[in-house]
Each structure stands twice: as C-alpha cells, then as structure tokens.
Amino acid sequence: MRCVGTKVVVVGGGSTYTPELVDGLCDVEDRMVVDDLVLLDPSDLRREVVGGLSERILRARGWSGTFSATADPHAALEGADFVVVQLRIGGQAARHVDETLPVGYGCLGQETTGAGGLAKALRTVPIVLELAEEMAARSNRGAWLVDFTNPVGIVTQALLDDGHQAVGLCNVAIWAQRRIGHYLGVDPDAVAVEHVGLNHLTWIRSARVGVDGDGDGDGDGDGDGDRGADRLDYLFERFGPELELESGIPVDLLRLQHALPSYYVHYYYQHDAEVAQQSAPGHRSRADVVAELETKLLQEYRDPALVSKPAALSYRGGAYYSLAAVRLMASLHAGTGDVQVVDMRNEGAIPGLPDDAVVETTAVVDATGAHPLPQRELSLEMLGLVQHAKAYERLAVKAACSGSRDDVVRALLANPLVGQYPLAADLANDLLGANRQHLPRFFPS
C-alpha cells in the first residue's frame, strides 16, 4: 500500500473534458498529491489523443507521478483512492435521441431532464452501479466515487441507495458563483451563495460577499446569522438583462421569487416556449453541436506541441467542473472542512424532503464526507416542484434497476415535464426501442 500520495482514476477518461480536469489536479498539491493517475476509456483513439495531451499538460507543469490510459477496469481500479465518473453511454448519438425524440410528442428534448433525462438514466445507472461494485472490490479502503455523470442527482441517488461511498458533483453552482463575482467585481471565492434544490433544479436565494461559507457571516457554519448584505436585488436591478439571458427566466420572475435559478429551471417554467423553439425548422440539437466541437477538439489535441488546455475547450460546456472536482477531492482527502455545493443525502437540511433524498446544496466537506448545512424552508412553489421531481427521480432509479417497462411508465407519469397518459406509455415504448442496444435489463435476449 502506498504511504504518500493518492491514486485517481478517471472513468470516461477519453472525454474532451479530461485535459481541464488533470490540469486542475496540479493546483491542489498543497492538500492532495496525486502520484498515480489513470484514464479508463474503451476507445483506443481517445486514450491515445486525450491521454497524450493530458500527460503533456501534467509534465509541462512539473508533475512527476505515474500516468497511464487503459481499457481494463480491473487494473485501473486496483488501489484507487478516488474514482471520478464522467461516462456517456451511447455517446452523442444517444444524446441526440434524448434531445429530439420527445419533441415529436410535444415534450422537452433534453439529456438530463424530462423524458430524455430518463432515457439517459436508464442507460447509465446500471453501468455506474456495476462500476461501483468493482471499485468496492479493488480500490483502497475508504475510496470515494465522485460522480459527474448526468443525470447526477439520479445517479448519486442510486449509488447511495446501494450503499456506496459517493458524492455527486455539478458545475452549475461554481459557474453561478463565478458569474456573480464577475458582476460584482469581486473575487468569486469571496461570494457565498445560498444554493438549494435538486441537481439541475436549484435556486440561489442569496449572494453575499466577504462572509463565511454558509453565507451568514458569523463563522459557525449553521446559517443562522444575518451579517453580510444579500446582493441579489442589486444584481437584478443592475444586470437584469444579462441574468435573464443566462437563466432563461424573465427578470420579473427572478424578482418575484427573489432567487436566481439555474439555467435548467427554465425548462420547467418556460416549457412550451422551449419545445416550440426545438420544433422550429433548422433547430440543431446540442448533441450535434457538441459532436462537431469534439471533432475539432480531438484534432487540436493531436498537436504534440500543445501542452495546455486549448481555448476552444471553454465552449464544450461544464465550465469550472475541473475546479469543483479537484477542490472536492482535496477536501475529502485532507479533511479541511471547506463549504462546497455537492449532491448528497438531505439529512434534514432542506425541510419537506426525506432524509435519504439526494439533494444539491451547500455542505461542509471533510474526510468523512459531505455534510449538508441547514437551509431555510423553500417557498411553496419551489417545494412543490422539488418534491414532484424527487418522486420522479426515485422512480427513475427503480426503473433503471428493475428493467421493467411498467416502472418506466410510472417514472414518466411522475415526471413534471411529462405527467400524462397515454403519453407516458407511448413515450416509454419509443424511448426503450430507440435505446435497445444500451438496455440489456429491458432486452435480455
């Protein structure tokens, strides 16, 4: 057993995200020294191209650890301390189906919410659970699984329900924190946001500057203080058009709720307008756009003179994911008790949700895990939507594990973006048929 340093495994290491992630690992060496980094990916091409650039970035930054890229999960997971999961089962082709098939039914086409999000969960949850079982057998005692695979809330719920040591991670909160810091003209790390909800269904209900991590300024981490002025009203007044564009929500609603929702909330509040836009002639799915960008990125990654992440990577999506991921791992490793936004069990933090429900909110992160901070009650319109979506998420986990079409129909009936019959039954049939090759539990033959 190694006495110093850590072994980090990136599952889906051939992703074009990976160079940004490995670059970030060099920024936390004061808290976590990585001496063994493994990229696990089934694609020979991506292991060669993405792995090549990743190692060049690390060496250019003076990193002296052991680097490898492999298709063998057994070898990769052996002795791991952290396993970062960023899978995409079916690639951009499956994502294209997620984003287009539901539109024909008058429903939102999106890869993490609505019917498309359920299809992605059905493909993903069984694979991640199998990976977690293999990790439990081969990794070091106390190893952490960090899930960045969408739909993060559903995947993390499945992992924790199955007893695995896992934390879910999304880039939305850290991206919003950085945008708010930009608008206020301050160091983003000085901005404390009150971020609450479920993955891709969250609101920032306050933004304070120069205070402790829970946003109240008293340094005790319990969220009950009142120091540090909330800057949301100022942001709505001064930067209303910008925030409306970034969130997809009219500024009048931002003021009404006194909250800044994540971009994904507009899929609920502006559902019909979004479906109309997706139905318009010439509309391109995000999958098509990303596939085109990835082709260009992989071509750029091949350049042996490239030793840093290219500027074009910023258009890939997932901004600041690497920063959030490395900070999370460093806090878990060093037990520093930082306040971060992650996906974990509620444990009473958000009133109105069960303790075992996976939520996304602020937490103290130490060597024993992520511990959610107590939150104010959600307004009724927020709570109702969150409870509705959480019921769907639990049914989505059940459907992914059972391989039952009836469970898929139940999940779609509970989904706030579907919720009708026989629409749910018809969608279930088409989604299962379109994903047949990726759903062995549903099609065992």
Side-chain angles (χ1 to χ4, degrees):
M1 182 178 293
R2 288 168 293 111
C3 297
V4 295
T6 58
K7 179 177 180 178
V8 173
V9 180
V10 182
V11 181
S15 167
T16 50
Y17 281 126
T18 301
E20 183 176 353
L21 175 65
V22 301
D23 182 62
L25 290 173
C26 297
D27 295 329
V28 292
E29 290 189 332
D30 59 325
R31 290 188 292 161
M32 182 179 74
V33 176
V34 178
D35 58 9
D36 191 356
L37 177 62
V38 181
L39 306 187
L40 175 62
D41 200 280
S43 168
D44 294 342
L45 171 65
R46 285 179 175 262
R47 289 199 308 276
E48 176 189 353
V49 176
V50 178
L53 173 58
S54 297
E55 185 169 18
R56 291 196 302 274
I57 289 172
L58 291 168
R59 302 306 182 198
R61 295 201 57 180
W63 186 75
S64 59
T66 300
F67 178 90
S68 61
T70 180
D72 181 358
H74 298 169
L77 295 171
E78 194 69 44
D81 298 295
F82 289 95
V83 178
V84 181
V85 183
Q86 52 182 35
L87 293 172
R88 183 177 292 282
I89 306 301
Q92 298 300 330
R95 177 180 182 173
H96 177 79
V97 175
D98 298 342
E99 294 175 339
T100 56
L101 187 153
V103 178
Y105 288 88
C107 294
L108 175 76
Q110 217 280 324
E111 67 153 344
T112 62
T113 59
L118 176 59
K120 192 172 196 301
L122 298 180
R123 296 192 303 268
T124 305
V125 166
I127 299 298
V128 175
L129 290 179
E130 290 173 8
L131 174 76
E133 289 292 338
E134 185 71 18
M135 174 184 164
R138 295 181 178 275
S139 297
N140 283 338
R141 184 177 181 181
W144 285 96
L145 189 154
V146 176
D147 178 62
F148 187 64
T149 295
N150 279 320
V152 168
I154 295 174
V155 174
T156 306
Q157 186 77 61
L159 285 164
L160 295 181
D161 286 351
D162 212 37
H164 298 289
Q165 184 160 272
V167 181
L169 182 67
C170 181
N171 72 304
V172 166
I174 195 169
W175 179 87
Q177 180 198 42
R178 267 138 179 76
R179 293 302 297 160
I180 291 171
H182 167 74
Y183 288 131
L184 296 178
V186 300
D187 179 357
D189 288 328
V191 178
V193 295
E194 183 189 354
H195 179 107
V196 63
L198 307 180
N199 178 245
H200 288 185
L201 185 55
T202 54
W203 295 263
I204 289 174
R205 298 191 295 173
S206 68
R208 306 175 192 274
V209 178
V211 295
D212 60 320
D214 61 15
D216 66 19
D218 61 14
D220 64 7
D222 65 8
D224 64 358
D226 59 3
R227 285 171 286 175
D230 177 18
R231 307 303 298 277
L232 283 187
D233 284 336
Y234 168 78
L235 289 167
F236 297 154
E237 181 66 29
R238 177 66 177 81
F239 301 102
E242 293 88 344
L243 296 174
E244 183 174 301
L245 179 65
E246 291 176 357
S247 68
I249 302 294
V251 69
D252 288 347
L253 181 52
L254 302 183
R255 293 193 180 101
L256 177 68
Q257 292 192 314
H258 188 76
L260 181 61
S262 79
Y263 177 79
Y264 294 88
V265 175
H266 97 277
Y267 292 130
Y268 298 88
Y269 290 168
Q270 306 282 121
H271 175 269
D272 292 353
E274 184 67 25
V275 172
Q277 181 177 333
Q278 293 180 351
S279 303
H283 176 78
R284 295 187 70 197
S285 70
R286 176 64 179 166
D288 289 344
V289 174
V290 171
E292 184 177 288
L293 176 59
E294 285 199 327
T295 298
K296 294 178 180 177
L297 282 172
L298 290 171
Q299 183 175 355
E300 191 169 354
Y301 287 5
R302 289 178 178 275
D303 181 0
L306 183 66
V307 294
S308 61
K309 57 184 180 183
L313 184 54
S314 63
Y315 300 107
R316 172 63 180 83
Y320 304 111
Y321 148 58
S322 66
L323 180 60
V326 298
R327 286 183 174 182
L328 173 58
M329 287 188 284
S331 296
L332 290 168
H333 177 75
T336 45
D338 304 344
V339 174
Q340 301 177 27
V341 175
V342 296
D343 288 77
M344 80 241 107
R345 291 200 186 281
N346 184 39
E347 296 178 357
I350 301 178
L353 290 174
D355 287 351
D356 66 347
V358 167
V359 298
E360 184 173 295
T361 191
T362 51
V364 173
V365 182
D366 59 26
T368 64
H371 312 284
L373 293 168
Q375 302 296 319
R376 294 182 290 144
E377 290 187 353
L378 291 169
S379 63
L380 288 179
E381 80 278 8
M382 293 179 184
L383 179 61
L385 181 54
V386 165
Q387 289 174 329
H388 193 171
K390 176 46 66 176
Y392 150 70
E393 289 187 354
R394 304 301 286 262
L395 287 166
V397 172
K398 182 180 179 182
C401 294
S402 71
S404 163
R405 174 194 172 274
D406 288 350
D407 285 341
V408 175
V409 175
R410 291 186 182 96
L412 288 170
L413 282 173
N415 191 305
L417 299 174
V418 181
Q420 300 179 64
Y421 194 87
L423 173 62
D426 294 339
L427 260 174
N429 292 338
D430 268 8
L431 288 173
L432 291 174
N435 288 276
R436 184 184 185 102
Q437 64 178 313
H438 304 299
L439 301 176
R441 296 193 182 195
F442 290 88
F443 304 100
S445 61

